Amino acid sequence: MNDPETANPIPLLEVRNIKKCFGRVRALDGVTFTVDRRSVVGLLGDNGAGKSTLIRILNGIYSPDAGEILWNGRSVHLRSPRDASNLGFATVYQDLAMIDQLSIYRNMFIGREKNVTWNLGPFRFLNHKRAKRETSAALAALGIKIKSTETAVEALSGGQRQSIAIARAVHFGGELLILDEPTSALSLRQTKQVLETIEKAREREISVIFISHNIGHVFEVADRFVVLSHGQTVANLSRVETDENQVSHLVREGRAVER
Amino acid sequence: MNDPETANPIPLLEVRNIKKCFGRVRALDGVTFTVDRRSVVGLLGDNGAGKSTLIRILNGIYSPDAGEILWNGRSVHLRSPRDASNLGFATVYQDLAMIDQLSIYRNMFIGREKNVTWNLGPFRFLNHKRAKRETSAALAALGIKIKSTETAVEALSGGQRQSIAIARAVHFGGELLILDEPTSALSLRQTKQVLETIEKAREREISVIFISHNIGHVFEVADRFVVLSHGQTVANLSRVETDENQVSHLVREGRAVER
Amino acid sequence: STAAAKEKPVIYSIVHGTLSDPFWAVYRKGLQDAASAYGAELRALGTEVHSVQGEVDLFNSALAAKPAGIITTIPDAAAFQEPLERAKNAGIPVIAINVTDTRPKAERDPYLFYIGGDEYLGGQEAAQKVLSVKKPAEAACWIHEPGHTGLEARAKGWTDEMQKAGIKSDTLTFRANNPTEAAAALKGFLTSHPNVDALFAVGPPPASVALEVLNELGKSEKVTLISFDLTQEQVEAIQNGSLLGTIEQQQYLQGYLGIEFMKLYLDHGFVPGGSVLTGPNLVDKANVATVKAQVEAGFR
Amino acid sequence: MTVIRLVLARLETGALLSALAVASIFALWTSNFLSLESITSVLIVTSESAILAIAVTLLMIAGEFDLSVGSVLGLSSVVVPLMMVNYQVPPLAAVMIAFAIAVGIGLLHGTIVRGLRIPSFIVTLGGLLFWRGIVFVITQGFPVRVPRGSGSLFDFFSYRFPNGFDVSLLWLIAWAPVFYVLLTQTGFGNWIYASGANERAARAMGVPVDRVRTILFVFTSVSACLAGLIQVGRFGSVDATRGQGLELEVIAASVIGGTSLSGGVGSIGGTILGCLIIGMIRNGLAIAGISSYWYTAIIGLLIVAAVLVNKATERFRKVAV
Amino acid sequence: MTVIRLVLARLETGALLSALAVASIFALWTSNFLSLESITSVLIVTSESAILAIAVTLLMIAGEFDLSVGSVLGLSSVVVPLMMVNYQVPPLAAVMIAFAIAVGIGLLHGTIVRGLRIPSFIVTLGGLLFWRGIVFVITQGFPVRVPRGSGSLFDFFSYRFPNGFDVSLLWLIAWAPVFYVLLTQTGFGNWIYASGANERAARAMGVPVDRVRTILFVFTSVSACLAGLIQVGRFGSVDATRGQGLELEVIAASVIGGTSLSGGVGSIGGTILGCLIIGMIRNGLAIAGISSYWYTAIIGLLIVAAVLVNKATERFRKVAV
Ligand SMILES: Nc1ncnc2c1ncn2[C@@H]1O[C@H](COP(=O)(O)OP(=O)(O)OP(=O)(O)O)[C@@H](O)[C@H]1O
Ligand SMILES: Nc1ncnc2c1ncn2[C@@H]1O[C@H](COP(=O)(O)OP(=O)(O)OP(=O)(O)O)[C@@H](O)[C@H]1O
Ligand SMILES: [Mg+2]
Ligand SMILES: [Mg+2]
């Protein structure tokens, strides 16, 4: 938005040589890639490759041992998820991160209450009606059918929970949508809707990082494929350079096909 | 095992007209199907169809409002997961159900300690070494690479956690293995291994209930497809009667193709 | 003078309750005044709540510090037997104050002598004072810390004496840490026992609550209130007639004399012939004026 | 039907039923339980403890404990009359200073819990001992006479109307709705629930968990200060043991009112009812003439019984916050 | 290096460092802290409280509280001499009956928690009041003396050797390893951790959570009984307030030793060290002759400081149970 030129050379997000150890486990060992404006990056890798750790670092949940994160070309230090959401990140975590005991609509707006408050002098109050209405709308937009937004999240099925987390991220989505295996529990129908949503996000100038083990799904939407293996970036390919087979092989073997 | 005749007419498990309401939500509204010996049943259905609720009922976590469960032809009342495991069920729950703070090998044997205890008079003690060794072996059998079985489960990646839960169920698998979306977080490589494991289970006379939204995966292993929709059994087809398209359609639409 | 400072004997004082209790505050002042007068290094300890066990543990710690002498209460003779014997073997003199082992000297725990009052007598005296002004229809006595041996003894003295006079006396056991709750409970009791017209509060906390409750109920006239120990509030209440009187032990003396006698024993080996009784002493309208200034200055 | 369902669904309903059960038992048992005298004294007790318990409830919902409230109450009760008597501080200034101290204590507790990552249980247990020790140091154990001449100020906290009611009830009526609105109608209330129900998820969703809890530690200290001032005005003197043992009682009231010890669940109404239940039990037993050694035992039984009524009706309540 | 890593990784290490820190402070501060007299008296106090705290720790790891231990300790301490004096029950039988009562109380608490789904906090708070009330009722507030002739039996629980050490230390040395083995080397120990860390998952994995907790309630009551009898032996008498306030102290010792209030985390060694830390602080301050003014306040500070040492070294410890 700051820079509406179409041929902008500065990428939206740049991740440079990020490293992170847990004790003796090297979860990330030098990860580098960029997310351009209006692009969908598919982040791939075997189980334990370090994808979720990277996402947590992007949200300030962990701090990296080394490396740099640049946002719009400027180096940023993310100390908490709050910092990240202020920058304009919206994330669906792999473990979903919802408050089971609270209702759907409260979960929708936790940490984002300012969107549904009304002011009385210096005080801000929640507009419950509006929160419920907006929640219903956001769910409907994703094609999710749930009887009441007052239901506690713990009463939902695995897929329903996941849908709500996605709806939350999409609804507030700033400039970067980060989806860590968002479709793992979703039915075919729901999955299709999520993939469409990703497409629409791109059209709305929102960039997306999309993690999934279903390479087919990733291929349907991504412009660029970043493959991690044992915490390292082993490939960074644009859609035109590659095909499903090559990417599958990279994910499986953690290195390129021997020629 | 009790009845080694091959043409046994009594199915291993029979679920008859199970119903379950939560407040005004009818999660299950009459589910009926059977699991034959040495067979893999694929349980399919849209998000919120009631699959996981059924699994919880089979494990005595919820008690059904109506209906009957027959095991080897005899009606059983399951009051707790302990009852179920005594009958010979081993389950991977969709939400995994592990103790995050405990180590991998302890998680492996919780509730199944008698497999790794040694006796001193009337007392039973854990054999930690053996527990770790057996855990490593069970993980290796599934092709899972993890540095140490002493790591806390909370330090694992999503896919690693899921692999451990599967390893646990497979390792103790009695006569019926119940897998609720076991491959959702797994990489292609891991998924393949799990599907192979299911095949092997059948060869070892173990029956399997396999839930997944990936109909391709289900088709690779299942002999029979049970489709739920809004808590009801809308289809129960053997492999020879159907194909992937028909099942996909059933799952998507909740009813058969109009002819 | 540094040599003299080093010479200062270390004297421990240990009690079975919290020193933040108003009663022990006065006692402590006695200790301190004597300690500075006689050049002793005072170490005054108390438990956090009423606890004999906690006191014995403190006593053991004090023994480990190898002091010149220890001044302690003996709320439970059996519990103190073994520690006192150890003190004796270690050659550390002990003076008992406030409550003690009442058995004859030959049988009792090994300590030098006792300085203090007699709780049971104090309770009796409270009853006698009330009986001297009227014959209550029904009486009651309020222990704010049930199980506290000293308070229970006061209550028993009162109850026995009332029974002798043929008057029924109930025992209340509401705690007074939360005065509002205690007030509500006392009101409840007075509602359900409308005949009660004499009340014995075994210490300042229940006395304070009882004064307020009787005032609020307009029963200050009808119910004769008597109490134990002295605070400014009680003094004022005696002056304005809402409190008949209060029994005190002159515990300042227990502290002051404790140090003084310990010093005399340490320097010259003096031991008095018997117990030194500091109470019970009745304060009522007749003598309240004389003690008022003392209370304000913290001597009573 | 729907109305009944909705009422039954609320967390407070169980506590309400418990309260009604306790009230009925005593009303049948003793004739005086419903007298004005008895009602007012129950209400006074309830108001005081509820003012404190409400703040403690919020903190418990957010997943932390405050064991220091009794000592903080003691401290503020002692500090105000002491300043007025010994240092001729004007009453209003003394009160302001007491509240400032309370704010400081709350901030201190919150900062230690948050900055040093020490469990709140330990920090506030330390606080329980430390602030009680400070009370002892400044009073030297002597009770402090409350200057009633300054009645006008303390009347503000606890004036007793001729009909027996007390200003403290008005304080509760003013205090409770503020916290109720805070908890249920603001984003901050959302954060309180989220912090206690699932701290990790709350952080991931952008809730400033540490800040929320620090603010709540300030609330508990300030409430303790207010409750202390309400008590001070009523009785002629304060001794250094004022408020001892209160921490457990307010936590108990919260739990009786439906607050969960593990965080994430609780309500203002339930807590007030919890305080009412405890108040009624204590007062009712005294009216029934059980005042002696059985008193303690029977309180124990009735507390369990009261919660039992709550639980027995629980299955009707299944709606999320 | 690896050995150091492994040692640092244990949960107990933090508590050990705290204990060493406290011991060093007092050893430097006062010359008598390391005298035999002082060491034995710390060990006696530590043994008594640790015997109780160990069981409380297990229960806390399993995710429940027992606030009634102080009252149960009081009850069993009172019941034994009372039966011997008033009903001429033989000593051994009296002790057996006391243990039977303790088992009964534990079962009762466990059954109410489990059967009626009332939080353990409330049930055992009820127990705290009820059993204390019963003590008041049966003693009428007066201390009970242990008949001397029976000395031989109580020597079994608490005999002080000429060198100052006490049998209670042997009890701890016998008691602690049993629970240590139970917690770390048996399936039941696994269940204890699982029940507290994630009750729902534990049930799903086939852990009989309710049975585990009920058994642990029995353990806490029985431990309280044993600790009570040890104290009866040491003091030769019991008063009606015996054990009052103990519940908070043993929970504090557990938490200082690294036990989590929310369940799933804790160790026997840590708890013993926690008891030792509290014992040393009390003893050390008494020996140092800290002005009684400051005594309480400083205990509070030192408890927080002790946990701080523990936390400061925490990042080295990252190995699962
Ligand atoms: N908190 C932690 N402590 C210790 N090790 C951790 C922690 N979090 C992650 N790890 C380790 O770091 C590695 C990377 O984990 P991560 O969750 O990032 O994998 P992932 O690529 O998301 O895998 P998946 O596809 O299974 O979700 C794993 O080996 C994991 O065990
Ligand atoms: N404890 C509960 N309380 C109330 N409603 C519940 C509860 N558990 C499940 N439900 C509801 O029952 C329905 C079925 O849920 P279930 O988890 O069985 O679906 P599912 O088929 O497993 O879906 P998914 O594929 O998303 O995992 C859903 O509408 C859900 O909201
Ligand atoms: Mg991941
Ligand atoms: Mg499911």
Side-chain angles (χ1 to χ4, degrees):
Chain A
M1 303 274 166
N2 301 329
D3 204 336
E5 302 162 53
T6 40
N8 185 357
I10 302 171
L12 186 67
L13 177 79
E14 194 172 344
V15 170
R16 279 197 198 152
N17 201 27
I18 293 280
K19 299 190 179 187
K20 177 77 191 175
C21 289
F22 298 104
R24 274 172 302 180
V25 177
R26 293 191 186 202
L28 294 180
D29 197 17
V31 172
T32 303
F33 68 97
T34 59
V35 180
D36 292 326
R37 277 158 216 285
R38 234 173 309 126
S39 79
V40 176
V41 173
L43 192 57
L44 300 159
D46 201 352
N47 290 130
K51 305 179 294 296
S52 299
T53 304
L54 182 68
I55 299 314
R56 293 208 185 101
I57 287 174
L58 286 180
N59 276 284
I61 295 176
Y62 298 149
S63 61
D65 298 340
E68 216 181 351
I69 298 168
L70 290 94
W71 177 247
N72 281 318
R74 251 168 303 132
S75 174
V76 287
H77 286 276
L78 298 152
R79 268 172 307 263
S80 75
R82 225 176 155 65
D83 288 355
S85 96
N86 287 341
L87 277 188
F89 297 11
T91 304
V92 174
Y93 297 95
Q94 188 173 10
D95 59 5
L96 299 185
M98 294 216 269
I99 315 288
D100 282 0
Q101 294 95 319
L102 295 189
S103 61
I104 295 173
Y105 81 89
R106 283 207 190 236
N107 264 285
M108 191 80 180
F109 285 95
I110 283 173
R112 306 277 196 167
E113 287 87 356
K114 61 175 181 293
N115 296 287
V116 284
T117 46
W118 53 277
N119 296 4
L120 188 76
F123 303 106
R124 288 219 205 129
F125 299 97
L126 283 184
N127 184 335
H128 289 271
K129 269 218 183 108
R130 193 170 139 211
K132 287 178 207 169
R133 209 171 48 228
E134 283 198 23
T135 305
S136 298
L139 297 183
L142 273 171
I144 304 161
K145 285 170 228 143
I146 275 164
K147 286 218 172 114
S148 157
T149 57
E150 287 175 59
T151 314
V153 164
E154 66 191 339
L156 296 180
S157 84
Q160 288 166 338
R161 288 171 59 96
Q162 197 162 40
S163 307
I164 309 260
I166 298 169
R168 178 183 147 97
V170 169
H171 187 67
F172 297 110
E175 299 181 61
L176 179 65
L177 196 55
I178 303 175
L179 306 172
D180 191 353
E181 306 196 18
T183 57
S184 61
L186 296 188
S187 70
L188 238 70
R189 197 169 53 77
Q190 286 297 337
T191 302
K192 233 177 114 184
Q193 208 113 22
V194 170
L195 297 179
E196 275 167 29
T197 308
I198 293 175
E199 288 285 0
K200 270 188 244 159
R202 176 168 39 201
E203 283 158 28
R204 278 161 49 211
E205 304 252 326
I206 297 171
S207 298
V208 181
I209 298 177
F210 178 35
I211 298 178
S212 174
H213 288 296
N214 192 319
I215 294 169
H217 292 167
V218 180
F219 254 82
E220 278 186 44
V221 291
D223 309 308
R224 182 162 273 287
F225 306 91
V226 176
V227 181
L228 299 191
S229 175
H230 297 98
Q232 293 177 318
T233 344
V234 292
N236 185 337
L237 304 164
S238 82
R239 189 187 193 87
V240 291
E241 299 174 88
T242 187
D243 58 32
E244 248 184 90
N245 274 340
Q246 190 194 5
V247 172
S248 294
H249 180 89
L250 276 165
V251 170
R252 208 163 48 236
E253 303 298 328
R255 57 195 155 77
V257 199
E258 317 278 328
R259 281 150 217 236
Chain B
M1 302 270 163
N2 301 329
D3 203 335
E5 302 163 51
T6 40
N8 186 357
I10 301 172
L12 186 68
L13 177 78
E14 195 173 344
V15 171
R16 280 196 197 152
N17 202 29
I18 293 281
K19 298 190 180 186
K20 177 78 192 174
C21 289
F22 297 102
R24 274 172 301 181
V25 177
R26 294 193 185 201
L28 294 179
D29 197 16
V31 171
T32 303
F33 69 97
T34 59
V35 179
D36 292 326
R37 275 159 216 285
R38 236 172 308 125
S39 79
V40 176
V41 173
L43 191 59
L44 301 158
D46 202 352
N47 290 129
K51 305 179 294 297
S52 299
T53 304
L54 183 68
I55 299 312
R56 293 207 185 102
I57 287 175
L58 286 179
N59 276 284
I61 294 176
Y62 298 149
S63 61
D65 297 341
E68 217 180 352
I69 298 169
L70 290 94
W71 177 248
N72 281 320
R74 251 168 303 132
S75 175
V76 287
H77 286 277
L78 297 151
R79 269 173 305 266
S80 75
R82 224 175 155 67
D83 289 354
S85 95
N86 287 342
L87 277 186
F89 296 11
T91 304
V92 175
Y93 297 94
Q94 187 174 11
D95 59 5
L96 299 185
M98 294 217 269
I99 315 289
D100 282 0
Q101 293 95 319
L102 295 189
S103 60
I104 294 174
Y105 82 91
R106 283 206 190 236
N107 264 286
M108 191 78 179
F109 285 95
I110 283 172
R112 306 277 194 167
E113 287 87 356
K114 61 176 182 294
N115 296 287
V116 283
T117 47
W118 52 278
N119 295 4
L120 187 75
F123 302 106
R124 290 219 204 129
F125 297 98
L126 283 184
N127 185 335
H128 288 273
K129 270 218 183 108
R130 196 171 138 210
K132 286 178 206 169
R133 211 172 45 229
E134 283 197 23
T135 304
S136 296
L139 297 183
L142 272 172
I144 303 161
K145 285 171 229 141
I146 275 164
K147 286 220 171 111
S148 158
T149 57
E150 288 174 61
T151 314
V153 164
E154 65 191 339
L156 298 180
S157 84
Q160 289 166 337
R161 289 172 58 97
Q162 197 163 40
S163 306
I164 309 257
I166 297 169
R168 177 183 148 98
V170 170
H171 187 67
F172 298 109
E175 299 181 58
L176 179 65
L177 196 56
I178 303 175
L179 306 172
D180 191 353
E181 307 197 18
T183 57
S184 60
L186 297 188
S187 70
L188 239 69
R189 198 168 53 79
Q190 286 297 337
T191 302
K192 235 176 112 186
Q193 207 113 21
V194 170
L195 296 180
E196 275 167 28
T197 307
I198 294 175
E199 288 286 2
K200 273 188 240 157
R202 174 165 43 199
E203 284 157 28
R204 277 160 50 209
E205 304 252 326
I206 297 170
S207 297
V208 181
I209 297 177
F210 178 36
I211 298 177
S212 174
H213 289 296
N214 191 320
I215 294 169
H217 292 166
V218 181
F219 253 83
E220 279 186 41
V221 291
D223 309 308
R224 182 162 276 287
F225 306 90
V226 176
V227 181
L228 298 192
S229 175
H230 296 100
Q232 293 177 317
T233 345
V234 291
N236 186 338
L237 305 163
S238 83
R239 189 187 193 85
V240 291
E241 298 175 87
T242 187
D243 58 33
E244 245 183 273
N245 274 339
Q246 190 193 6
V247 172
S248 293
H249 182 89
L250 276 164
V251 171
R252 209 164 45 239
E253 302 298 328
R255 57 195 155 76
V257 200
E258 316 279 326
R259 282 147 214 242
Chain C
S1 73
T2 42
K6 260 188 196 156
E7 289 293 299
K8 267 191 174 183
V10 172
I11 299 176
Y12 270 86
S13 154
I14 300 161
V15 302
H16 53 272
T18 164
L19 284 168
S20 47
D21 188 284
F23 178 88
W24 294 117
V26 173
Y27 161 79
R28 242 179 64 87
K29 186 168 165 57
L31 286 175
Q32 279 175 325
D33 288 355
S36 48
Y38 292 97
E41 186 185 332
L42 171 67
R43 294 178 179 176
L45 303 176
T47 56
E48 280 131 74
V49 291
H50 169 82
S51 166
V52 175
Q53 174 224 330
E55 189 191 11
V56 171
D57 291 339
L58 286 177
F59 189 92
N60 286 335
S61 297
L63 281 184
K66 303 197 172 19
I70 302 178
I71 301 166
T72 186
T73 65
I74 304 183
D76 184 333
F80 268 89
Q81 184 183 350
E82 190 263 353
L84 285 172
E85 270 160 11
R86 252 179 315 118
K88 190 179 170 195
N89 295 339
I92 298 172
V94 177
I95 294 174
I97 49 117
N98 189 257
V99 306
T100 190
D101 184 356
T102 47
R103 289 173 293 180
K105 183 152 188 186
E107 298 162 30
R108 68 161 166 75
D109 293 348
Y111 61 87
L112 292 175
F113 55 90
Y114 172 63
I115 306 172
D118 185 322
E119 307 279 15
Y120 183 80
L121 283 183
Q124 280 185 316
E125 192 164 334
Q128 283 156 6
K129 172 71 187 170
V130 170
L131 290 168
S132 74
V133 296
K134 75 178 194 192
K135 184 165 168 33
E138 219 180 299
C141 129
W142 178 6
I143 304 180
H144 57 293
E145 272 187 66
H148 183 306
T149 30
L151 305 184
E152 295 279 2
R154 292 174 191 175
K156 193 159 186 331
W158 162 277
T159 309
D160 288 354
E161 198 66 14
M162 282 293 170
Q163 255 163 14
K164 252 188 259 163
I167 296 158
K168 175 174 169 261
S169 177
D170 277 306
T171 305
L172 317 185
T173 60
F174 320 126
R175 293 186 176 275
N177 296 345
N178 183 342
T180 314
E181 254 175 34
L186 180 62
K187 275 189 184 175
F189 172 78
L190 291 175
T191 323
S192 63
H193 295 74
N195 291 332
V196 168
D197 58 358
L199 178 63
F200 174 37
V202 303
S208 170
V209 172
L211 281 170
E212 176 62 24
V213 165
L214 293 178
N215 177 34
E216 286 177 9
L217 291 177
K219 280 192 164 181
S220 299
E221 297 284 295
K222 188 193 164 207
V223 179
T224 306
L225 179 67
I226 191 160
S227 70
F228 227 93
D229 300 335
L230 262 178
T231 62
Q232 288 183 44
E233 189 184 11
Q234 281 159 294
V235 168
E236 281 164 35
I238 291 171
Q239 283 178 323
N240 70 26
S242 49
L243 181 63
L244 177 63
T246 193
I247 312 293
E248 60 146 357
Q249 295 199 352
Q250 308 191 98
Q251 67 272 29
Y252 179 86
L253 280 182
Q254 295 171 7
Y256 194 94
L257 294 181
I259 295 283
E260 181 174 34
F261 276 114
M262 181 61 78
K263 187 79 167 117
L264 289 173
Y265 174 82
L266 293 174
D267 292 348
H268 313 293
F270 289 131
V271 175
S275 298
V276 180
L277 292 186
T278 63
N281 176 45
L282 173 71
V283 176
D284 61 6
K285 223 166 188 161
N287 59 355
V288 66
T290 63
V291 303
K292 186 166 193 248
Q294 310 278 315
V295 171
E296 270 157 25
F299 290 103
R300 286 177 187 263
Chain D
M1 252 325 274
T2 326
V3 176
I4 295 178
R5 253 173 193 284
L6 270 176
V7 170
L8 279 175
R10 292 193 65 89
L11 189 61
E12 292 91 342
T13 308
L16 186 62
L17 294 175
S18 301
L20 288 176
V22 170
S24 320
I25 290 171
F26 284 115
L28 293 174
W29 185 354
T30 74
S31 52
N32 290 316
F33 186 71
L34 295 179
S35 66
L36 181 68
E37 195 67 53
S38 153
I39 291 174
T40 54
S41 72
V42 167
L43 285 182
I44 292 173
V45 174
T46 306
S47 322
E48 266 179 33
S49 58
I51 284 172
L52 181 49
I54 286 172
V56 168
T57 299
L58 293 197
L59 189 60
M60 285 170 68
I61 296 176
E64 299 280 340
F65 290 97
D66 191 346
L67 298 179
S68 71
V69 288
S71 297
V72 174
L73 182 145
L75 185 65
S76 53
S77 312
V78 155
V79 154
V80 171
L82 209 71
M83 282 192 292
M84 288 163 62
V85 173
N86 289 9
Y87 305 98
Q88 276 74 45
V89 177
L92 193 64
V95 167
M96 301 304 267
I97 294 173
F99 275 111
I101 293 174
V103 170
I105 291 175
L107 281 177
L108 183 66
H109 290 164
T111 311
I112 296 176
V113 169
R114 150 198 193 167
L116 307 178
R117 300 260 156 244
I118 301 182
S120 62
F121 181 90
I122 289 292
V123 172
T124 58
L125 178 72
L128 168 108
L129 295 165
F130 185 76
W131 304 117
R132 178 66 58 197
I134 296 299
V135 170
F136 179 38
V137 170
I138 60 181
T139 62
Q140 311 255 326
F142 288 100
V144 181
R145 191 83 176 90
V146 177
R148 289 231 172 147
S150 66
S152 53
L153 176 80
F154 287 116
D155 279 355
F156 183 59
F157 293 109
S158 67
Y159 175 76
R160 198 176 161 84
F161 297 107
N163 61 7
F165 287 94
D166 196 308
V167 173
S168 59
L169 187 61
L170 298 181
W171 274 101
L172 178 63
I173 292 174
W175 199 248
V178 171
F179 283 92
Y180 179 80
V181 168
L182 183 76
L183 184 61
T184 61
Q185 305 297 324
T186 71
F188 191 75
N190 255 2
W191 295 355
I192 293 175
Y193 279 112
S195 304
N198 187 342
E199 180 175 342
R200 198 194 288 199
R203 284 185 203 277
M205 291 166 106
V207 175
V209 174
D210 294 321
R211 207 194 322 149
V212 169
R213 289 181 176 163
T214 303
I215 292 173
L216 293 179
F217 276 113
V218 172
F219 284 176
T220 55
S221 290
V222 167
S223 300
C225 181
L226 176 61
L229 293 177
I230 289 175
Q231 271 187 0
V232 166
R234 182 153 175 233
F235 301 93
S237 66
V238 192
D239 65 81
T241 62
R242 177 64 61 82
Q244 248 175 24
L246 200 61
E247 54 285 348
L248 217 59
E249 180 147 341
V250 287
I251 294 179
S254 294
V255 176
I256 291 173
T259 305
S260 155
L261 284 167
S262 42
V265 180
S267 71
I268 304 286
T271 294
I272 295 175
L273 289 164
C275 293
L276 183 65
I277 289 170
I278 293 187
M280 285 194 300
I281 291 176
R282 288 190 189 280
N283 184 61
L285 282 179
I287 289 186
I290 295 183
S291 48
S292 184
Y293 293 104
W294 280 105
Y295 183 67
T296 311
I298 296 182
I299 290 180
L301 280 187
L302 287 182
I303 285 179
V304 176
V307 176
L308 188 58
V309 173
N310 187 336
K311 285 286 150 177
T313 57
E314 192 174 44
R315 62 209 157 83
F316 298 109
R317 276 166 275 131
K318 260 281 168 230
V319 160
V321 179
Chain E
M1 253 325 274
T2 327
V3 176
I4 296 178
R5 253 174 193 285
L6 271 176
V7 170
L8 279 174
R10 293 194 65 87
L11 189 59
E12 292 90 344
T13 308
L16 186 63
L17 294 175
S18 301
L20 288 177
V22 170
S24 321
I25 290 171
F26 284 115
L28 293 174
W29 186 354
T30 76
S31 52
N32 290 314
F33 185 72
L34 293 180
S35 68
L36 183 68
E37 190 72 46
S38 155
I39 290 174
T40 55
S41 76
V42 168
L43 286 181
I44 289 174
V45 173
T46 304
S47 318
E48 280 173 13
S49 62
I51 284 172
L52 180 50
I54 285 171
V56 169
T57 299
L58 294 197
L59 189 60
M60 284 170 68
I61 296 176
E64 298 281 341
F65 290 97
D66 191 345
L67 299 179
S68 72
V69 289
S71 298
V72 174
L73 183 147
L75 184 65
S76 50
S77 324
V78 155
V79 153
V80 171
L82 213 68
M83 281 192 293
M84 288 163 62
V85 174
N86 290 8
Y87 304 98
Q88 275 73 45
V89 178
L92 193 65
V95 167
M96 301 303 267
I97 293 174
F99 275 110
I101 291 175
V103 170
I105 290 175
L107 282 176
L108 182 66
H109 291 164
T111 311
I112 296 176
V113 169
R114 151 198 191 167
L116 306 178
R117 300 259 157 244
I118 300 183
S120 62
F121 182 89
I122 289 292
V123 172
T124 59
L125 178 73
L128 168 103
L129 295 165
F130 185 76
W131 305 116
R132 178 63 59 194
I134 296 298
V135 171
F136 288 150
V137 170
I138 62 182
T139 61
Q140 293 292 310
F142 281 93
V144 183
R145 200 162 274 204
V146 178
R148 289 271 155 130
S150 65
S152 54
L153 175 80
F154 285 107
D155 280 355
F156 184 60
F157 292 110
S158 153
Y159 172 76
R160 197 158 171 158
F161 297 107
N163 62 7
F165 287 94
D166 197 298
V167 173
S168 58
L169 186 62
L170 299 181
W171 275 100
L172 177 63
I173 291 173
W175 198 248
V178 171
F179 283 92
Y180 179 79
V181 168
L182 183 78
L183 184 62
T184 61
Q185 304 298 323
T186 71
F188 191 75
N190 256 0
W191 295 354
I192 293 175
Y193 279 112
S195 304
N198 186 341
E199 180 175 342
R200 198 195 287 200
R203 285 186 204 276
M205 290 166 108
V207 175
V209 175
D210 293 321
R211 207 193 324 147
V212 169
R213 289 179 177 166
T214 303
I215 291 172
L216 294 179
F217 276 113
V218 173
F219 283 176
T220 55
S221 289
V222 168
S223 300
C225 180
L226 176 61
L229 292 176
I230 288 174
Q231 280 190 353
V232 171
R234 177 151 76 103
F235 295 128
S237 74
V238 199
D239 65 285
T241 63
R242 179 64 58 80
Q244 247 175 26
L246 200 60
E247 54 285 346
L248 218 59
E249 180 147 340
V250 287
I251 294 178
S254 295
V255 176
I256 292 172
T259 305
S260 154
L261 284 167
S262 43
V265 180
S267 72
I268 304 285
T271 294
I272 295 175
L273 289 165
C275 292
L276 184 65
I277 289 170
I278 292 187
M280 286 194 300
I281 290 177
R282 286 188 194 286
N283 179 64
L285 285 179
I287 289 184
I290 274 295
S291 153
S292 49
Y293 289 145
W294 286 103
Y295 182 68
T296 310
I298 293 182
I299 291 181
L301 282 186
L302 285 182
I303 287 178
V304 176
V307 176
L308 189 57
V309 174
N310 189 335
K311 284 285 150 177
T313 58
E314 193 175 43
R315 64 210 156 85
F316 298 110
R317 276 165 275 131
K318 258 287 168 223
V319 160
V321 179

